[in-house]
Amino acid sequence: QVHLVESGGGSVQTGGSLTLSCAALGSTFGGQGIAWYRQAPGKQREIVAAISPGGNINYAASVKGRFTISKDSTKNTAYLQMNDLRDDDTAAYYCQTFKAGLGPHPSDFDDWGQGTRVAVSS
C-alpha cells in the first residue's frame, strides 16, 4: 500500500487560492489513480476530484471549474489546485490511490492519512 502524506492546507479568505500536495513516500503511484476527498466539520467525507488509472478526470459538481487535480509521476506527487475558495470548502482534505474505476467511495477505504486542513473565511 502506498503511504501518502497530504500538505499545503491553511487559512485563506473567500475567493483565495491554495494548492494541496499528496506525496507518496517510499513508493510510487505506479499506474494507480489518485483521488482527493474532504470532510467538513459535522459532515461525511466526500470525493472532490479524481484521476482514474486510465487518465479520466472527474470533479464533484461543487468544485468543478474551480479545482484542478493533477499528478507528477516523476515526483510521486499529486496536487489539488483550488481557486475561488468558498466558505463551504472548509474541510480536512485527504488523498488516496486506487486501482480501478473513476473514483472510489470514501467507504471503500479503511485507512486514512492525517489530511491537511483548509479554512476559508470571509
Side-chain angles (χ1 to χ4, degrees), residues 8-20 66-67 80-86 118 120:
S11 297
V12 63
Q13 289 189 327
T14 302
S17 298
L18 282 174
T19 300
L20 307 183
R66 300 187 298 121
F67 289 14
L80 185 68
Q81 172 69 43
M82 307 186 296
N83 297 325
D84 190 22
L85 283 162
R86 305 170 182 170
V118 173
V120 185

Side-chain angles (χ1 to χ4, degrees), residues 35-111:
W36 282 96
Y37 299 84
R38 69 184 180 186
Q39 186 167 21
K43 295 187 177 181
Q44 292 189 336
R45 194 167 287 161
E46 62 178 358
I47 192 167
V48 175
I51 301 175
S52 74
N56 292 303
I57 295 177
N58 288 283
Y59 298 96
S62 60
V63 307
K64 193 173 293 185
R66 300 187 298 121
F67 289 14
T68 302
I69 186 173
S70 62
K71 70 175 181 177
D72 185 339
S73 296
T74 64
K75 297 181 179 179
N76 294 316
T77 303
Y79 304 95
L80 185 68
Q81 172 69 43
M82 307 186 296
N83 297 325
D84 190 22
L85 283 162
R86 305 170 182 170
D87 291 0
D88 59 4
D89 293 319
T90 294
Y93 285 73
Y94 305 85
C95 59
Q96 293 279 17
T97 58
F98 60 100
K99 296 180 179 180
L102 297 178
H105 190 275
S107 62
D108 289 343
F109 300 100
D110 294 324
D111 298 318

